[in-house]
Amino acid sequence: MRNLLNQWLQPHIEALGLEVGAANLKLVEIGASPPTLRGYAIRPTPHGAIHGGNINDPSLIAAELREMVAEMQTRKKYVVASVSNLAVITRIIQVPKMGEKELEEAIYWEAERYIPFPIDEVVLDYEPLDPLTEVPDDAQVDVIIAAARLETITQLVETLKEARLEPVVLDIKPFAGMRTVENYLSGGSNDGSEPVTVFLEVGAESSSLVLSRGTRLLMNRNLNISGNDFTEAISKSFGLDFDSAEEIKRDYGLATIPTEDEESLLDFDADRERFNPARMYDAIRPVLVDFTTELRRSLEFFRVQVGDIHIDKGFIAGGGSKLRGLPGILGEALGLQLESVDPWAGLLINESQFDVSDLHNMAPEFTVPVGLGLRGVNPLD
Ligand SMILES: Nc1ncnc2c1ncn2[C@@H]1O[C@H](COP(=O)(O)OP(=O)(O)OP(=O)(O)O)[C@@H](O)[C@H]1O
Ligand SMILES: [Mg+2]
């Protein structure tokens, strides 16, 4: 009875998934039950319009978003959007079990100790990692707190409003991305226990690593290396501007030690010679070394925090993971194989409406937006 009433009282809002990324703006429309792809749009983010997690040119972004919505021919205006990893701080803290009201107050006070800006300039959210009813009375509760600067959130919301979009939820990118592999996360492993998973998202200006057991978050961490670092390394090494370096990275970039075979594949094309695998690898190697080192350290840190657990599976997503050979090298650093996420796999797709090979090529960059879109058709909490 209570459920029925709730359904009457809560209008079911369906929302688009939107990622305002540093490299790409991405929109996804998903229809509910069963989740069905209705439409998508992607556009390069105008150069310099987003930097360091901040929107430097809100009107320019809003204009692009308006065109994307028009292109998709959707009438939805509600969006589930994400906050840049660079603009949000998350921490998992432990507090004694208490009532929900007391918890709210306690979190507020605790948060002040962890957040490097004045608490009244921050938008704060939190969530117990386990349902409070399942935590024994005298135990500690793990709570994740997320804090973003009020200014950053206001700027994002205003940009969306200028695009005539109405944000209903702001989410954290890697958590959104993980929603696309929820079927795996919530299935048992071979011995019936919940699988322990790492999820690595490599964006243009930030990356993040999440460790979870089943769908329960264990740890997460932002990483300092992402797609732009590879582009910048190429730009420096070959004396190219950023945009040219970006193009060269896509055409010739590689993250593996070149084999004889690859060398012998070269013809006498001048560009191929200039950006040959050996030179490319030399240019990129310092970034790779930093990236793998950071991953190893993060995993060590996770293990110190949660104990020496066995990881059952690794996923990788984000446009930055498209660098040839990168998933292999990063997986090696973590001591496991990283599977590229296919965010479309969980959606019904009308193959006469969408080009499946296009979707496949854009799977890495659409993992976060599809995850945001899925939140938009699931009951909003
Ligand atoms: N073929 C490719 N090879 C190497 N890198 C690629 C390739 N295609 C895309 N990228 C990189 O992927 C990144 C863009 O991916 P994505 O769209 O996921 O980023 P974003 O969501 O805009 O960034 P962020 O989430 O950090 O704000 C860029 O760094 C781009 O250089
Ligand atoms: Mg991204």
Side-chain angles (χ1 to χ4, degrees):
M1 190 62 195
R2 195 167 155 259
N3 275 336
L4 266 180
L5 268 180
N6 275 341
Q7 272 180 16
W8 275 105
L9 293 174
Q10 291 178 345
H12 187 73
I13 297 172
E14 283 196 7
L16 305 167
L18 167 64
E19 184 185 7
V20 179
N24 293 300
L25 308 173
K26 288 158 279 190
L27 256 179
V28 180
E29 180 176 4
I30 297 172
S33 34
T36 305
L37 180 64
R38 296 259 183 259
Y40 72 89
I42 176 167
R43 283 190 179 207
T45 305
H47 200 74
I50 290 178
H51 187 70
N54 286 311
I55 303 178
N56 294 331
D57 196 335
S59 298
L60 190 55
I61 300 284
E64 295 286 332
L65 292 176
R66 269 205 302 267
E67 287 182 25
M68 288 166 73
V69 172
E71 187 187 305
M72 274 171 65
Q73 300 185 316
T74 177
R75 276 182 298 153
K76 290 186 188 160
K77 59 175 180 142
Y78 295 105
V79 291
V80 174
S82 54
V83 185
S84 164
N85 292 326
L86 299 178
V88 54
I89 294 169
T90 57
R91 289 274 186 286
I92 296 171
I93 62 169
Q94 275 91 33
V95 293
K97 184 177 172 178
M98 57 183 91
E100 289 197 24
K101 191 90 201 97
E102 292 94 331
L103 184 62
E104 191 176 331
E105 249 168 62
I107 293 293
Y108 189 84
W109 295 114
E110 280 288 312
E112 272 200 308
R113 296 176 31 204
Y114 295 94
I115 291 159
F117 340 104
I119 196 89
D120 53 355
E121 290 172 19
V122 146
V123 176
L124 195 66
D125 201 359
Y126 68 92
E127 198 173 299
L129 291 180
D130 304 297
L132 285 179
T133 47
E134 284 172 20
V135 181
D137 278 346
D138 50 358
Q140 298 272 311
V141 185
D142 287 336
V143 180
I144 181 165
I145 53 178
R149 294 189 74 150
L150 181 58
E151 204 185 319
T152 311
I153 299 288
T154 310
Q155 185 191 47
L156 176 62
V157 170
E158 309 252 290
T159 305
L160 300 184
K161 294 208 154 156
E162 196 178 331
R164 298 188 210 107
L165 295 168
E166 195 67 48
V168 285
V169 175
L170 295 180
D171 207 349
I172 291 168
K173 292 188 188 191
F175 301 161
M178 288 178 79
R179 221 167 279 132
T180 63
V181 294
E182 206 156 291
N183 277 348
Y184 171 80
L185 301 179
S186 54
S189 17
N190 293 342
D191 60 359
S193 61
E194 292 179 298
V196 174
T197 313
V198 292
F199 186 94
L200 172 60
E201 215 257 335
V202 188
E205 72 168 15
S206 79
S207 301
S208 54
L209 186 70
V210 182
L211 181 72
S212 66
R213 177 180 285 117
T215 55
R216 201 269 200 198
L217 173 70
L218 293 174
M219 292 296 302
N220 73 300
R221 204 172 200 206
N222 284 344
L223 306 171
N224 290 317
I225 310 288
S226 51
N228 281 352
D229 295 294
F230 290 105
T231 311
E232 271 151 25
I234 291 170
S235 148
K236 256 202 218 124
S237 191
F238 294 98
L240 301 167
D241 62 55
F242 188 88
D243 288 344
S244 316
E246 180 69 34
E247 206 173 304
I248 292 301
K249 176 174 82 167
R250 284 170 198 230
D251 290 349
Y252 301 104
L254 85 174
T256 46
I257 300 165
T259 60
E260 300 260 327
D261 262 9
E262 268 168 308
E263 299 261 28
S264 64
L265 275 178
L266 293 179
D267 51 30
F268 292 101
D269 180 309
D271 264 1
R272 278 193 182 242
E273 178 46 36
R274 183 172 176 208
F275 304 111
N276 74 45
R279 287 195 190 144
M280 209 43 157
Y281 185 68
D282 272 351
I284 280 174
R285 193 172 47 190
V287 182
L288 273 180
V289 171
D290 286 352
F291 207 166
T292 50
T293 308
E294 209 185 350
L295 277 178
R296 273 194 215 101
R297 286 205 186 124
S298 300
L299 203 56
E300 268 165 39
F301 172 76
F302 286 177
R303 290 207 153 109
V304 169
Q305 300 288 316
V306 300
D308 195 13
I309 36 156
H310 171 78
I311 298 169
D312 296 290
K313 195 171 178 87
F315 289 106
I316 186 164
S321 71
K322 285 164 93 169
L323 183 68
R324 197 148 52 99
L326 190 64
I329 298 279
L330 300 183
E332 251 169 55
L334 291 169
L336 44 99
Q337 269 208 320
L338 292 175
E339 179 182 319
S340 290
V341 174
D342 178 7
W344 314 109
L347 304 181
L348 269 185
I349 291 170
N350 178 349
E351 296 193 7
S352 61
Q353 189 184 357
F354 301 103
D355 183 327
V356 179
S357 83
D358 279 355
L359 294 179
H360 176 75
N361 291 336
M362 292 181 297
E365 42 276 72
F366 267 98
T367 301
V368 167
V370 169
L372 294 165
L374 286 170
R375 172 87 180 252
V377 291
N378 289 331
L380 298 174
D381 40 89

